[in-house]
Amino acid sequence: MMDLFTSFAGAATARHHQALIAAGVPSEWLYGGPARFGVARAVFAGPHWEPHEHGTAVCVLPDAPLSRPGEPADLMADLIAFRTADPARWWLLKGGAAILNPTARDLAEWHGEPLAVHASPLDWMRAGGGGVVVLDWTAHLPLHLGRVPLVAADLALGERLDRALNRPTDRTEISVMRRAAA
């Protein structure tokens, strides 16, 4: 997965960086560390994407940001593709990531701080890579976002988070089998 992301990151040109800066992504963040994004051509099948030389141009992000060039992909589970013209829609390469930037959730829990939740990967980039994005709303989100106070980017996202995290508890009937007397 890391080699694949490295190839996408290597395909990013100054024109791609300038387009993201024009879209509100801070240049200090884009240039302030290892590759923050890549570019690819992709085809889509449901919630997934795959590279294809004749596909649509997309921006590619690792689900767990890298801290230094060449870093092992130990924390990276997936690659996210989205189009800057339609940032509210994205696709996962493997489908293994529930949130973008899970390390931020862990740090928020560790430090007892609220966690910013952004509506899209582009919004996350505009925030300089701080906070998280829910990538898979079908995932069990209490597992990925529980135990930390959340700060939603807007009311609609806050309401969606509330519905996803505060579902009525399903009750499971449990019975105990009786063993026959010996």
Side-chain angles (χ1 to χ4, degrees), residues 41-46 48-56 58 81 91 93:
R41 294 208 163 268
V43 293
F44 314 103
H48 300 285
W49 73 280
E50 65 179 58
H52 192 281
E53 64 182 299
H54 300 295
T56 303
V58 293
W91 300 266
L93 184 64

Side-chain angles (χ1 to χ4, degrees), residues 93-117:
L93 184 64
K94 296 183 343 182
I99 61 173
L100 171 62
N101 196 18
T103 304
R105 197 220 65 89
D106 296 342
L107 290 172
E109 181 180 12
W110 179 262
H111 294 290
E113 298 174 348
L115 177 64
V117 182

Side-chain angles (χ1 to χ4, degrees), residues 63-178:
D63 70 311
L66 310 175
S67 63
R68 60 187 181 282
E71 177 180 43
D74 295 343
L75 300 175
M76 190 168 48
D78 216 331
L79 293 174
I80 300 104
F82 70 95
R83 296 182 1 234
T84 55
D86 185 13
R89 181 165 183 176
W90 55 84
W91 300 266
L92 302 176
L93 184 64
K94 296 183 343 182
I99 61 173
L100 171 62
N101 196 18
T103 304
R105 197 220 65 89
D106 296 342
L107 290 172
E109 181 180 12
W110 179 262
H111 294 290
E113 298 174 348
L115 177 64
V117 182
H118 304 284
S120 74
L122 182 58
D123 290 336
W124 176 82
M125 293 176 80
R126 288 176 177 142
V132 300
V133 175
V134 175
L135 298 172
D136 181 0
W137 287 93
T138 66
H140 182 66
L141 293 182
L143 177 66
H144 301 282
L145 294 175
R147 300 185 316 269
V148 294
L150 304 176
V151 179
D154 58 44
L155 181 60
L157 180 59
E159 289 173 342
R160 190 170 186 191
L161 285 165
D162 184 53
R163 286 189 305 273
L165 293 166
N166 297 314
R167 296 179 181 153
T169 303
D170 292 327
R171 299 282 303 159
T172 302
E173 185 176 322
I174 301 171
S175 59
V176 177
M177 291 186 272
R178 292 184 195 223

